[in-house]
Amino acid sequence: MTTRRRPGLGTNQELARRHNLGTVLRHVHGAGQISRAELTGRMGLNRSTIAALVNELEALGITERALPAEGIPRQGAGRPSAGVRIAEDGPFVIAVDLGVDRAVVARIGLGGRVLQRSQAPVRSDGEAWQVGAAVAGLIRCVVEGVPDAAQLVGIGISVPGLVRNSDGLIRLAPNLEWHDVSFGGIVLAALGLDVPVSIANDADLGALAEHVRGVAVGVDDLIYVSGNVGVGAGVIAGGVRLEGAGGYAGEVGHLRFNPAGRECHCGNRGCWETEVGAHAIAEAIHCPSDKVAQLDEVLAGFGEPSPAVRATGTALGHGLADIVNVFNPRQVVLGGYFRSLYALVGPEVEAALADRALPAPLESVTLTLPGLGSDSSLLGAAEIALEPLFVDPVAALGTALVGVGTRLAG
Amino acid sequence: MTTRRRPGLGTNQELARRHNLGTVLRHVHGAGQISRAELTGRMGLNRSTIAALVNELEALGITERALPAEGIPRQGAGRPSAGVRIAEDGPFVIAVDLGVDRAVVARIGLGGRVLQRSQAPVRSDGEAWQVGAAVAGLIRCVVEGVPDAAQLVGIGISVPGLVRNSDGLIRLAPNLEWHDVSFGGIVLAALGLDVPVSIANDADLGALAEHVRGVAVGVDDLIYVSGNVGVGAGVIAGGVRLEGAGGYAGEVGHLRFNPAGRECHCGNRGCWETEVGAHAIAEAIHCPSDKVAQLDEVLAGFGEPSPAVRATGTALGHGLADIVNVFNPRQVVLGGYFRSLYALVGPEVEAALADRALPAPLESVTLTLPGLGSDSSLLGAAEIALEPLFVDPVAALGTALVGVGTRLAG
């Protein structure tokens, strides 16, 4: 994953140094542990430059020296290159995965290490301030006992809805019935903290996490399609998050699917979501409506797929064909309850995709399950909160908060 | 427009210098003429660095000094900053816009200046080598009389089809009935030249040109939707071309539109193209089938839209809603015969878009006509051929060809 600078900017020695420092950290973060020789190779810089950068990260307390890791091949015939790894008590972030029926909160360090986690049910008809208070409670849990010196870089929040990228405003979270909610501000107010908050759509964050440390590491063009009551997609294109002008890109759930079909909550008729959304599937398999949010588990309990489930698999594949034609991804990752659906009716999904996708984009795409299970969006939320560290580690640490455990214990 | 480097690379002084040199040239290329003060501001570098870079470009014969342009506001109270502009006899490229019924070829300099152009009809049932020979003939025309010292950087070709980005192979050009054609090699063989050739999809290049010097300058998220017998789209996302894994992204013509609809040449039923493609519209307006390639002119001749044309406008708007929901563009540029269709039934298109697009992405999008008329793809072809100059001007000039006019005159 890379961050784009404003196009047309020049660069100078100081900008180059910060870029390099952040990029070294990004590599260590991605790999967990990496040798200096490997860094030299990946970054195209010489050994002394890499050594200076690594020393600077170490002095900042972000990384530490490691013995050459077993299993990492030696570069050439010389002595093995010393390793760099994420420091034990380095900076951390708080990641929040807000679902339709539950919130998961975790304290996560560089390298994607989940240091502590906590979760609680959320009422889907709850008001934003009630949900915010519940999330704040979970945050207090996960920072309990954190050493005072540990630095909180920021909070990342994943939400099942449309999030404006300029300020993190939740424009619409249909299944929470939220419109224009400043959820970041609500959580901070409930905590009494002032720390950077980043908010993004759950599917977008699923795509990000799968790209950084899931099934799509090294894959620059991927789509994470999430069945999570509603249906949405996160897109990584050319190694970069596709956000669109306002941050709303990827609303594949409302692709026109069957103009003669059912009414959708968006006001239209026959959107893809009316065929493969949780409510449609629940109806097809006679799942009680209070179990819709647990559709993943319900589907996982199926032995043999019924004809209705097979038909849903076909509808999933047909919609994926549109996505493949339009985005030409290398990988489509099926998240949320699509994991269980795909496990049940994978052949139907694949056949329908092959039936409708154009041959050229079809031949290079694979459908896969998430490498991070149900944690993709949670880990993606950590990634956006960590991002300032990769842009400019020194500046990000400068604004990080210490003593959080003590402050929130009160 | 910016070029992405492989993520995770470091940078050093030499790389930074080349990046800066190419970036200065990109700014001059975009603006035509620009002051040093403006370059300083846009690139975030100091005056002496900018002066050194400008001097280097001048020494390479790419740019020249200009008097401060009238109409460009003075920066501060000092004397006006000297201007930089594209040199008169600088390097050039050859751009080819291959349509279904005609080929347009132009010699184009930096700044997008069309120096010479020529065009000829192309038989849609012609074999690739015949079309290649015709294009080679047009290229000979446009380099006639070029000074021997002028440097040919490369050839850019726009084609109405799916182009593999790794090697420019035309995988499919349905309306030319081409499969897996190495058209670049065919043209070079017909010319007896060895020079870099870049090939891309016409809608992709339309998007690029409109972004660099058309209606979408400064717009980082835009879609160019082209009606050109077939229907396709070019996408710029976050200021960067969205290519997809193989270069095939943007095949919106095959979005599922009406599963009960007509058969499409792709083998499916009810693709969007079967409702808004040239053949569908021609049928709706009783246009003779040998005029389909000139649908733009036929539509432009309409006084009052018939109900069938209005229905086509509605279908255009409904399909655009899918595009807006999925990509969240700031601007949708309607190219090809959609220009005339939109002029006829703009209100129907807008109403249908508003009816089906989600409110959040809808509120920030505008539909527009191309700023470059029917030349978008041609100028986009020039842009991809010029691109090496912006990555590394010195290296690109090192491989450029001189004496082309004389060599091709033989």
Side-chain angles (χ1 to χ4, degrees):
Chain A
M1 195 63 200
T2 172
T3 308
R4 223 181 295 117
R5 298 174 61 217
R6 183 160 65 78
L9 275 177
T11 194
N12 60 30
Q13 222 173 331
E14 176 55 22
L15 289 173
R17 199 190 58 83
R18 290 190 208 178
H19 166 80
N20 288 342
L21 195 65
T23 303
V24 168
L25 184 57
R26 197 187 290 278
H27 284 299
V28 186
H29 169 64
Q33 173 164 344
I34 190 169
S35 73
R36 291 182 182 206
E38 180 75 16
L39 283 171
T40 308
R42 287 203 200 172
M43 291 182 61
L45 297 178
N46 63 41
R47 290 175 62 165
S48 63
T49 306
I50 292 291
L53 293 164
V54 164
N55 289 341
E56 190 171 348
L57 288 177
E58 213 171 289
L60 288 167
I62 305 181
T63 63
E64 60 190 24
R65 208 160 299 196
L67 291 176
E70 285 178 34
I72 293 183
R74 287 170 56 163
Q75 313 273 326
R79 65 189 166 89
S81 161
V84 187
R85 68 173 174 220
I86 299 301
E88 200 60 50
D89 292 319
F92 69 91
V93 296
I94 288 163
V96 178
D97 178 17
L98 184 59
V100 174
D101 66 326
R102 55 109 193 81
V104 183
V105 172
R107 179 160 58 87
I108 296 183
L110 279 161
R113 270 187 299 194
V114 176
L115 303 165
Q116 213 158 327
R117 68 187 290 158
S118 188
Q119 73 178 74
V122 158
R123 286 181 46 181
S124 67
D125 58 350
E127 293 201 34
W129 67 267
Q130 294 171 310
V131 177
V135 166
L138 293 170
I139 292 175
R140 286 175 206 279
C141 289
V142 300
V143 298
E144 213 181 290
V146 170
D148 266 357
Q151 294 167 296
L152 172 61
V153 177
I155 300 176
I157 305 180
S158 162
V159 295
L162 293 169
V163 180
R164 186 159 71 193
N165 55 7
S166 57
D167 59 1
L169 183 74
I170 301 176
R171 298 297 309 281
L172 173 68
N175 296 300
L176 292 163
E177 293 178 32
W178 288 2
H179 293 265
D180 293 330
V181 169
S182 294
F183 191 65
I186 289 172
V187 171
L188 288 184
L191 288 171
L193 274 192
D194 188 14
V195 64
V197 180
S198 307
I199 308 194
N201 170 268
D202 54 359
D204 289 1
L205 294 179
L208 176 57
E210 291 295 332
H211 181 57
V212 173
R213 59 183 70 260
V215 74
V217 170
V219 177
D220 278 348
D221 295 277
L222 74 115
I223 316 249
Y224 178 93
V225 183
S226 163
N228 184 12
V229 184
V231 175
V235 184
I236 305 274
V240 177
R241 271 175 69 193
L242 180 83
E243 300 190 40
Y248 314 126
E251 283 302 312
V252 299
H254 301 282
L255 280 168
R256 180 185 174 104
F257 193 81
N258 179 7
R262 278 170 282 197
E263 254 185 65
C264 181
H265 65 83
C266 76
N268 282 308
R269 191 171 283 282
C271 297
W272 190 35
E273 194 169 303
T274 66
E275 308 265 339
V276 300
H279 291 288
I281 297 181
E283 203 184 304
I285 63 173
H286 309 292
C287 162
S289 65
D290 62 334
K291 291 259 187 232
V292 165
Q294 290 87 44
L295 188 61
D296 196 37
E297 291 101 86
V298 175
L299 284 170
F302 259 73
E304 188 68 15
S306 65
V309 176
R310 287 187 204 278
T312 306
T314 299
L316 177 58
H318 280 156
L320 292 178
D322 270 7
I323 293 174
V324 166
N325 286 345
V326 161
F327 288 107
N328 181 206
R330 175 90 55 206
Q331 219 169 77
V332 175
V333 185
L334 297 170
Y337 59 76
F338 288 152
R339 288 182 298 151
S340 302
L341 185 64
Y342 183 69
L344 269 176
V345 291
E348 282 81 356
V349 179
E350 301 269 1
L353 169 63
D355 184 41
R356 276 204 69 95
L358 295 171
L362 178 66
E363 72 193 22
S364 59
V365 75
T366 51
L367 300 188
T368 54
L369 297 178
L372 305 168
S374 56
D375 275 352
S376 312
S377 299
L378 180 73
L379 289 165
E383 290 298 326
I384 53 167
L386 287 165
E387 185 62 28
L389 277 175
F390 310 132
V391 174
D392 188 340
V394 178
L397 289 183
T399 61
L401 225 57
V402 293
V404 176
T406 310
R407 286 175 64 168
L408 292 183
Chain B
M1 196 62 202
T2 173
T3 307
R4 224 181 294 118
R5 296 173 64 217
R6 183 162 65 80
L9 275 177
T11 193
N12 60 29
Q13 223 174 330
E14 177 54 23
L15 289 173
R17 200 190 56 84
R18 288 190 210 179
H19 166 81
N20 288 342
L21 196 65
T23 304
V24 168
L25 184 56
R26 198 186 290 278
H27 284 301
V28 185
H29 168 65
Q33 173 164 343
I34 190 168
S35 72
R36 292 183 182 204
E38 179 76 17
L39 282 171
T40 307
R42 288 204 200 170
M43 291 182 59
L45 297 178
N46 63 40
R47 290 175 61 165
S48 62
T49 305
I50 292 291
L53 293 164
V54 164
N55 289 340
E56 191 172 347
L57 288 177
E58 215 173 289
L60 288 168
I62 305 182
T63 63
E64 58 190 25
R65 208 159 297 194
L67 292 176
E70 286 178 35
I72 294 183
R74 288 170 55 163
Q75 313 273 327
R79 66 189 165 88
S81 159
V84 187
R85 69 174 173 220
I86 300 302
E88 199 61 50
D89 292 317
F92 68 91
V93 296
I94 289 164
V96 178
D97 178 17
L98 184 59
V100 175
D101 67 324
R102 55 110 194 81
V104 183
V105 172
R107 180 160 58 88
I108 296 182
L110 279 160
R113 269 188 301 193
V114 177
L115 304 165
Q116 212 157 327
R117 69 188 286 160
S118 188
Q119 73 177 73
V122 158
R123 287 180 47 180
S124 66
D125 59 350
E127 295 200 34
W129 67 267
Q130 295 172 309
V131 176
V135 165
L138 292 170
I139 292 176
R140 286 174 207 278
C141 288
V142 301
V143 297
E144 213 181 289
V146 170
D148 266 356
Q151 293 168 297
L152 171 62
V153 177
I155 300 176
I157 305 180
S158 163
V159 295
L162 293 169
V163 180
R164 186 159 71 192
N165 55 7
S166 57
D167 59 1
L169 183 73
I170 301 175
R171 296 297 309 280
L172 173 68
N175 296 298
L176 291 164
E177 292 178 34
W178 288 2
H179 293 264
D180 293 330
V181 170
S182 292
F183 191 64
I186 290 172
V187 171
L188 288 184
L191 288 171
L193 275 192
D194 188 15
V195 64
V197 180
S198 307
I199 308 195
N201 170 271
D202 54 358
D204 289 1
L205 294 179
L208 175 58
E210 292 295 331
H211 180 57
V212 174
R213 59 183 69 261
V215 75
V217 170
V219 177
D220 278 348
D221 296 277
L222 73 115
I223 317 252
Y224 179 93
V225 183
S226 164
N228 185 13
V229 184
V231 174
V235 184
I236 305 274
V240 176
R241 272 175 69 192
L242 180 84
E243 298 190 44
Y248 314 125
E251 284 302 312
V252 299
H254 301 282
L255 280 168
R256 180 184 173 104
F257 193 80
N258 180 6
R262 277 171 283 197
E263 253 184 66
C264 181
H265 65 81
C266 75
N268 283 308
R269 191 171 284 282
C271 296
W272 190 34
E273 194 168 304
T274 66
E275 307 266 341
V276 300
H279 290 287
I281 298 181
E283 202 183 307
I285 64 172
H286 309 294
C287 162
S289 65
D290 62 334
K291 290 261 189 228
V292 165
Q294 289 89 44
L295 187 62
D296 195 38
E297 291 103 83
V298 175
L299 284 169
F302 258 73
E304 187 68 17
S306 65
V309 176
R310 286 186 205 280
T312 306
T314 299
L316 177 58
H318 280 155
L320 292 177
D322 270 6
I323 292 173
V324 166
N325 287 346
V326 162
F327 289 106
N328 182 206
R330 176 89 56 207
Q331 219 169 77
V332 176
V333 184
L334 297 170
Y337 60 75
F338 288 152
R339 289 182 297 152
S340 302
L341 185 65
Y342 183 69
L344 268 177
V345 291
E348 283 81 357
V349 179
E350 301 268 2
L353 169 63
D355 184 41
R356 276 203 69 95
L358 295 171
L362 178 66
E363 72 194 20
S364 59
V365 74
T366 51
L367 301 186
T368 54
L369 297 178
L372 305 168
S374 56
D375 276 351
S376 312
S377 299
L378 180 74
L379 288 165
E383 289 300 326
I384 52 167
L386 287 166
E387 186 61 29
L389 278 174
F390 310 133
V391 175
D392 189 340
V394 178
L397 289 182
T399 60
L401 222 57
V402 292
V404 176
T406 310
R407 285 175 65 168
L408 292 183

